[in-house]
Amino acid sequence: MTDSTANPAGEPAPIAPSEMTLDELREALAPVLPMHAAFDGWGEAALAQAADELGVPADRARLAFPGGAIDMIDAWFVSIDAEMPVRAPAPMLRARKVRDRITRLIAARLDTMEIHREALRRALAILAMPQNAPRAARLGWRAADGMWRLAGDTAVDLSFYTKRLTLAGVYAATLLVFVDDQTDNFADTRAFLDRRIAGVMRFEKLKAQLKPDPDRMFSPVRFLGRLRYPAS
């Protein structure tokens, strides 16, 4: 018996936009929105055009982004998160040092946004508004966390947080350079990123050198143990 919902390759047939849930519709609209936001900003006009492109009513598309512009930007960034492992697959990353993994992952994000730099500029302006600072911080953290996880980071101590906060700062600064970079192949952005990543790596190395050695620190338990069981 043939499944009428499957294509000849045996895969499920794509869901028509008109039949999508709001979550599915948000995911479908996300990569389309920046093409229109570049000209109309992250607002009703861009959303209506993106919805028309997918063949869904603008009113329904609006329900997928109850928070307006900030929700649209968030959804776009989610699509960029999803694109990272496609442009920087795990086998490629495993063959590189940690520094090169992080650099490649940021480059993958920039490659995804290259044709949408004006939309990115407008998105950064919205995120820079004081009322959007908490949301902007969460989006920066999410991007940094995703990159560190794809890079194979397994930290569970304080460095888990410091690595992500540091990378979020590097990424945000790199985006500001990227949106105004007019050099060939974004040479200025790549040079800026290399310098910032080098600085991060030097800082991590210094932290490791300054990290207290537990064998050299005074331990009351060890001290009392030695009193009770002196070395022969």
Side-chain angles (χ1 to χ4, degrees):
M1 185 174 180
T2 303
D3 184 355
S4 60
T5 64
N7 61 29
E11 298 175 352
I15 303 173
S18 59
E19 299 176 358
M20 289 179 176
T21 66
L22 290 181
D23 287 342
E24 291 167 339
L25 184 57
R26 185 183 308 113
E27 183 177 347
L29 286 166
V32 181
L33 279 166
M35 291 186 285
H36 302 289
F39 300 99
D40 299 307
W42 292 91
E44 295 285 338
L47 181 57
Q49 291 187 60
D52 183 64
E53 190 171 330
L54 261 64
V56 296
D59 288 346
R60 178 162 174 75
R62 197 177 299 117
L63 293 175
F65 303 98
I70 197 73
D71 278 0
M72 292 184 239
I73 294 167
D74 190 334
W76 179 38
F77 286 0
V78 168
S79 72
I80 295 170
D81 294 340
E83 188 70 15
M84 272 196 303
V86 177
R87 292 179 179 262
M92 173 199 294
L93 295 177
R94 282 197 297 267
R96 298 169 181 248
K97 295 180 179 179
V98 172
R99 168 182 172 166
D100 294 334
R101 293 177 192 177
I102 293 297
T103 301
R104 180 65 198 111
L105 286 164
I106 293 180
R109 297 182 72 90
L110 299 182
D111 290 344
T112 304
M113 294 184 285
E114 180 179 345
I115 62 173
H116 301 305
R117 282 202 299 162
E118 183 55 36
L120 176 61
R121 186 196 311 278
R122 291 170 179 261
L124 294 179
I126 292 172
L127 292 172
M129 295 178 180
Q131 66 269 29
N132 293 329
R135 187 73 168 270
R138 288 198 297 273
L139 296 184
W141 175 274
R142 187 178 70 199
D145 182 53
M147 285 187 274
W148 272 118
R149 289 181 185 277
L150 289 173
D153 180 57
T154 58
V156 293
D157 56 5
L158 182 61
S159 65
F160 174 91
Y161 301 97
T162 58
K163 285 179 178 180
R164 283 151 179 78
L165 287 171
T166 303
L167 181 56
V170 169
Y171 178 55
T174 302
L175 289 181
L176 293 176
V177 176
F178 176 65
V179 293
D180 289 321
D181 191 352
Q182 300 301 319
T183 58
D184 292 340
N185 198 29
F186 302 104
D188 283 354
T189 300
R190 297 179 190 281
F192 176 84
L193 176 59
D194 286 343
R195 291 194 302 272
R196 293 300 298 266
I197 293 292
V200 171
M201 293 300 110
R202 285 195 298 270
F203 177 66
E204 290 296 324
K205 184 177 180 180
L206 178 62
K207 278 201 313 182
Q209 292 173 344
L210 296 178
K211 188 175 181 179
D213 183 350
D215 291 332
R216 295 185 179 181
M217 293 178 66
F218 174 74
S219 169
V221 174
R222 252 196 331 265
F223 176 70
L224 293 174
R226 287 172 183 170
L227 289 179
R228 185 173 182 183
Y229 303 106
S232 55

